Amino acid sequence: MANPLFHAKILLFGEYGIIEDSQGLTLPYSFYKGTLKFSDLSSDFEQKSNLSLKKYSDYLSSLELPENFKLNVEDFKTDISNGLFFDSNIPQGYGVGSSGALVAAIFERYSLVKRNPDTITKDELKDLKKVFGKLESYFHGTSSGIDPLICYMNLPILIENRENVDKV
């Protein structure tokens, strides 16, 4: 089975409106993407990515998540020791969702409860957004959860306000 690709995101409109609790629209951007892969870690990029995943797995071990959003962190750590890395061409530090794509990929692979993005309800989206905010806060200090949500769903997401989002 091929590894799923997680696309970057573009905030189409609402960058400053969202700060003021107004609407925004974000879209998946398929030019940039990332996926979890295994290798012998022969390149510097793969080694750095693997080391970053190891540090992130330690953070995940200490994180309390709701029961229906728990991750199999032990399997994640085992895979890291077996050469797991995040293969991505998403630029870091430009706001296009590099950490969001990583969080989405890890959630997809290691979530104990498997979900189909096509059948997720509006209420489930709200819960996912909160959980993704916790998962992504490792990288940014705090996170709204929007970036991993758009990367995970791979669908346009309407940001109605700080609390509510919906599929478009």
Side-chain angles (χ1 to χ4, degrees), residues 38 72-84 110:
F38 289 92
N72 189 335
V73 179
E74 292 309 311
D75 280 0
F76 183 41
K77 288 182 177 208
T78 299
D79 287 348
I80 292 166
S81 67
N82 289 323
L84 185 71
Y110 298 100

Side-chain angles (χ1 to χ4, degrees), residues 38-165:
F38 289 92
S39 89
D40 61 3
L41 305 177
S42 56
S43 78
D44 286 343
F45 171 80
E46 292 169 355
Q47 290 173 18
K48 287 178 185 175
S49 175
N50 179 267
L51 181 59
S52 294
L53 291 179
K54 184 175 183 339
K55 292 175 183 176
Y56 185 56
S57 72
D58 292 337
Y59 167 77
L60 293 178
S61 293
S62 68
L63 195 62
E64 286 294 322
L65 296 175
E67 193 62 38
N68 57 336
F69 292 98
K70 290 199 181 286
L71 301 174
N72 189 335
V73 179
E74 292 309 311
D75 280 0
F76 183 41
K77 288 182 177 208
T78 299
D79 287 348
I80 292 166
S81 67
N82 289 323
L84 185 71
F85 74 103
F86 188 61
D87 187 19
S88 171
N89 69 347
I90 304 171
Q92 294 181 8
Y94 291 92
V96 291
S98 57
S99 61
L102 173 61
V103 166
I106 291 169
F107 185 82
E108 168 68 22
R109 186 174 188 123
Y110 298 100
S111 177
L112 295 176
V113 176
K114 299 302 177 193
R115 292 170 172 79
N116 179 349
D118 294 332
T119 62
I120 291 175
T121 67
K122 186 174 179 175
D123 285 339
E124 290 171 317
L125 272 180
K126 188 176 178 178
D127 293 341
L128 265 176
K129 180 182 165 297
K130 286 179 187 174
V131 168
F132 284 151
K134 288 181 180 182
L135 296 174
E136 192 182 36
S137 66
Y138 171 82
F139 302 101
H140 304 296
T142 58
S143 168
S144 68
I146 289 291
D147 286 6
L149 184 65
I150 183 70
C151 296
Y152 178 74
M153 296 296 294
N154 197 31
L155 296 168
I157 300 289
L158 176 65
I159 303 161
E160 296 172 353
N161 54 44
R162 284 189 185 111
E163 296 298 318
N164 295 304
V165 293

